[in-house]
């Protein structure tokens, strides 16, 4: 333990990296430390066995000539899928939290009885301050279309492949450190992540898994005394923030953009991929991905490469459609759906400015820097389809474009709608029969939620208690509870407040009339339209009383509930036993409508506590999110109760509607 303390608590110069593939550490170059000052070999983590297949199967850039540290210098990386890097040590790393379910994927049991020793070991190795035996850190080269424009080389600028752990059950998991320092792909950045963004990624990766959404995992979050300067809101008010690292886990982090490194000069931006013309590497990458992660496709089409590649693209299309359908059904907004953030396995990756819907708004944009609303909640399916089109283009000539486009047209919309409606029927407790009219019922429900400003998660959860009997005395009580989930006047006025100064808006409208060509070039037409809508909505709200709002909301919900009851009656007709049908309906709804999601305000409270050095709220929220679906009242597994004091000084249930201050949160 003393040796761990020395490594964790000493100066930066005293923290050394374990050499690649060796069990015992050695001093870094130029160090005068004796062997007695070296870090210990891992204990709890000693059972991890690395077999880094990706680095054997794919081209790795040869280390460039130059002084020590040059491998991390920003540069193009042509002719390679990876380049070797080394994590940059942190001062006094300390563990924020571990996800035991995620680490169990690696064959790791719960930390041993000596919790302090296990946490010290996790902090040392999952910060990048020391390398596990067999780890070979590398950065992955990829390109991407960002906000619709080809950006050229991007790559792992703040993430590092550590290697692939093989388990006793035959599974293989890639480990990544996100925030471990600069790589050749960091451009002008420092390769670091900070506490707030790391906590959000750590918690949401695990939250999504337990919601049943395909996702990469997060095994650990480690912060430190090292700091970087960040201008959080890009408003000229930078501040120092703590460097933090997240351990990420997935079968692979290869993405759509991995195949765009071969792209020729883009007609709009003029940028090209670093490996343009290297179809030999594209073939290598395709062979590796299909044989490693789609072995059944490889086996079925071993003698026909075109059909193999077509089957691969078809499966990626289906998985992507399934993933985004799951997002829509839990109200998840990704925020940055660039092609470099799209997994080749159909997983949710790269949790940046994400968010879960509170008040239902199909046009909700969770990323404050998405000025055009390209990645709004309702647009996510079409954006994922657009990204698949770019993947089809990137697979040429190994997959003829006309064949890829035909597969996309044939599969995506059908697969998305099929899975979306299957999930929505379960969320509504329609367990017996599927009817074509169900699409209209779901559409009308979402319209009603939008008109009344209803909370997305809580409204679906509440519907499981809807009294199905026509003359039920509980209907009035149910409707009252439903009204509590609708937005108040205060909430609506805050949500629709104008974002622009009236004088600025007036000037923009004058420009639109006097010089429409210049106005169009500025790309603000959609933003001005949204601003005018806010002004009109704000004016209507000023003339509306709370009683009028309540009456209007009740009318909207009464209409939809009448249609819902009629549909439930049809479902009941197909059941033999009404009591058994009702029990099954409630069970299915509880299994598909979460009670808890990672709302922004819950994450923010955990972040603010962690910034004060208190990690208990992060760990508490993590446990809560491991059981997001219904628990019987009073059950030991139900983590309900109240969260820590928030910014308004009040305590509330984790399943409550968000407080008003949550509307002020800005994620970029």
């Amino acid at each position: 333990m003393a040796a761990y303390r020395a490594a964790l608590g000493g100066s930066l110069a005293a923290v050394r990296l374990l050499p690649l593939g060796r069990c015992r550490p050695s001093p870094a170059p130029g160090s005068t430390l004796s062997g007695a000052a070296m870090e210990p070999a891992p204990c709890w983590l000693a059972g991890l066995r690395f077999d880094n297949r990706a680095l054997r199967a794919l081209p790795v850039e040869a280390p460039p000539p130059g002084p020590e540290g040059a491998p991390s210098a920003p540069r193009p990386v042509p002719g390679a899928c990876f380049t070797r890097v080394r994590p940059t040590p942190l001062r006094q790393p300390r563990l924020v939290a571990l996800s035991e379910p995620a680490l169990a994927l690696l064959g790791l049991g719960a930390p041993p009885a000596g919790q302090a020793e296990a946490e010290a070991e996790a902090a040392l190795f999952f910060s990048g301050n020391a390398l596990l035996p067999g780890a070979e850190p590398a950065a992955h080269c990829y390109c991407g279309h960002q906000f619709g424009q080809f950006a050229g080389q991007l790559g792992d600028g703040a993430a590092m492949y550590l290697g692939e752990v093989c388990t006793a059950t035959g599974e293989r998991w890639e480990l990544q450190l996100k925030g471990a320092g600069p790589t050749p792909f960091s451009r002008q950045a420092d390769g670091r992540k900070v506490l707030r963004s790391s906590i959000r990624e750590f918690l949401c990766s695990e939250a999504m898994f337990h919601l049943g959404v395909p996702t990469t995992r997060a095994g650990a979050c480690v912060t430190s005394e090292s700091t970087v300067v960040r201008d959080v809101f890009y408003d000229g008010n930078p501040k120092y923030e703590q460097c933090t690292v997240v351990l990420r886990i997935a079968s692979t982090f290869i993405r759509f953009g991995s195949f765009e490194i071969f792209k020729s000069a883009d007609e709009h931006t003029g940028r090209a991929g670093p490996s343009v013309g290297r179809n030999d590497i594209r073939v290598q990458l395709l062979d590796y991905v299909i044989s490693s992660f789609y072995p059944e496709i490889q086996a079925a089409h071993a003698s026909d490469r075109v059909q193999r590649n077509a089957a691969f693209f078809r499966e990626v299309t289906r998985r992507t459609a399934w993933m985004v359908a799951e997002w829509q059904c839990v109200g998840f907004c990704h925020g940055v759906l660039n092609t470099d953030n799209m997994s080749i396995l159909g997983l949710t990756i790269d949790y940046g400015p994400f968010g879960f819907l509170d008040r239902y708004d199909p046009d909700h944009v969770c990323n404050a820097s998405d000025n055009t609303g390209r990645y709004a909640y309702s647009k996510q399916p079409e954006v994922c389809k657009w990204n698949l089109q770019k993947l089809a283009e990137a697979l040429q000539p190994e997959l003829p474009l006309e064949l890829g486009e035909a597969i996309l047209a044939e599969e995506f919309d059908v697969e998305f709608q099929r899975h979306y409606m299957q999930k929505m029927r379960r969320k509504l407790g329609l367990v017996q029969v599927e009817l074509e009219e169900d699409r209209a019922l779901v559409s009308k429900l979402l319209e009603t939620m939008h008109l009344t400003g209803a909370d997305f998660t809580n409204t679906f959860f509440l519907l499981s208690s809807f009294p199905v009997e026509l003359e039920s005395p509980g209907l009035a009580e149910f409707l009252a509870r439903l009204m509590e989930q609708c937005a108040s006047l205060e909430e609506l006025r805050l949500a629709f407040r104008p974002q622009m100064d009236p004088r600025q808006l007036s000037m923009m409208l004058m420009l639109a009339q006097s010089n429409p060509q210049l106005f169009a070039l500025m790309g603000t037409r959609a933003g001005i339209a949204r601003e005018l809508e806010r002004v009109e909505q704000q004016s209507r709200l000023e003339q509306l009383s709370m009683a009028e709002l309540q009456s209007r909301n009740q009318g909207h919900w009464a209409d939809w509930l009448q249609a819902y009851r009629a549909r439930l009656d049809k479902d009941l007709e197909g059941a033999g036993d009404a009591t058994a049908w009702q029990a099954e309906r409630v069970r299915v709804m509880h299994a598909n409508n979460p009670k808890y999601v990672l709302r922004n305000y819950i994450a923010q409270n955990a972040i603010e506590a962690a910034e004060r050095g208190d990690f208990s709220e992060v760990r508490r929220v993590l446990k809560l999110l491991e059981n997001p679906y219904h628990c019987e009242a009073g059950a030991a597994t139900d983590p309900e109760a109240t969260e820590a004091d928030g910014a308004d000084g009040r305590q509330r249930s984790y399943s409550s509607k968000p407080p008003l201050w949550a509307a002020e949160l800005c994620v970029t």
Side-chain angles (χ1 to χ4, degrees), residues 172-239:
R172 177 185 293 267
W173 297 99
E174 179 182 325
L175 304 190
Q176 263 197 3
L177 294 182
K178 186 170 182 179
T183 77
F185 308 111
S186 299
R187 290 169 285 180
Q188 304 305 311
D190 51 34
R192 292 299 190 190
K193 293 298 177 182
V194 296
L195 186 60
R196 56 185 165 82
S197 62
S198 298
I199 286 175
R200 284 173 57 84
E201 171 145 10
F202 174 73
L203 289 176
C204 199
S205 299
E206 293 305 279
M208 291 286 273
F209 170 77
H210 292 289
L211 285 169
V213 180
T215 180
T216 57
R217 303 294 298 276
C221 182
V222 178
T223 193
S224 71
E225 294 301 313
S226 298
T227 58
V228 288
V229 176
R230 293 287 187 266
D231 188 348
V232 182
F233 302 115
Y234 306 106
D235 59 0
N237 294 298
K239 68 174 185 175

Side-chain angles (χ1 to χ4, degrees), residues 37 75 97 111 114 122 134 170 192 252 272 306 329 415 430 452 455 480 554 645 663:
R75 63 181 183 277
R192 292 299 190 190
T252 183
V306 171
C329 289
E415 186 68 15
L430 305 176
T452 61
D455 185 272
Q554 284 185 345
D645 287 334

